[in-house]
Amino acid sequence: KGLPSPGMNISRINALNRIKFRWNYIDDTKWMAKFQQLKDYKELYGHVDVPRNPPSSSCKLKDVIVQEKSLGRWVSYQRNQYKMYHEKEKNSNHHQIVTSLSSSSSLSPQKIQLLESIGFLWKSKKDSGNGTSWE
């Protein structure tokens, strides 16, 4: 991951480097598709606080409910990734709190910026008032 294959010869590596080959390429196509769904959801409902389990409604089509559940899970996942990104660790003396970038978070600063640009809430309205804050 992020490196040439062990059997790749040096001339091939150099040729790829000359054309600015991205060794650490991450395909964000699926993430961007979900982000677009979230933007569409905001346009339709006026907010981006998608519930994990939207209530079934006789006026909604079954595929719309399934799509909203999927989007709700994605939104929840983004919040969890943000929490991991900004996880606070106490040092061994428990006096100083250090903010660290978690290597297991899939969120990048660019993705955070995109989500915040459409009013994404890192804490759902459902969680407000219970003392859970990720900032």
Side-chain angles (χ1 to χ4, degrees), residues 28-44 47-50 67 70-75 77-78 107-122:
D28 285 333
T29 306
K30 289 180 182 178
W31 192 94
M32 289 304 295
K34 283 292 188 189
F35 178 70
Q36 184 59 52
Q37 285 179 9
L38 185 60
K39 286 172 45 178
D40 295 343
Y41 182 94
K42 181 180 182 176
E43 190 173 311
L44 186 62
H47 63 84
V48 293
D49 196 21
V50 185
Q67 185 177 10
S70 173
L71 185 59
R73 285 190 301 270
W74 183 82
V75 164
Y77 180 76
Q78 300 313 302
L107 270 184
S108 66
Q110 294 81 9
K111 289 178 182 177
I112 291 170
Q113 186 176 17
L114 282 171
L115 289 166
E116 289 177 345
S117 75
I118 62 168
F120 191 84
L121 303 172
W122 296 110

Side-chain angles (χ1 to χ4, degrees), residues 2 7 14 21 40 60 63 66 73 88-89 115 117 121 124:
N14 289 336
F21 181 79
D40 295 343
K60 287 188 178 180
D63 59 335
V66 169
R73 285 190 301 270
K88 300 198 189 280
E89 300 175 358
L115 289 166
S117 75
L121 303 172
S124 73

Side-chain angles (χ1 to χ4, degrees), residues 49 51-53 76 79 121 123-130:
D49 196 21
R52 271 186 73 109
N53 295 304
S76 179
R79 290 183 176 128
L121 303 172
K123 185 172 76 171
S124 73
K125 290 179 184 177
K126 180 183 84 170
D127 292 334
S128 58
N130 70 1

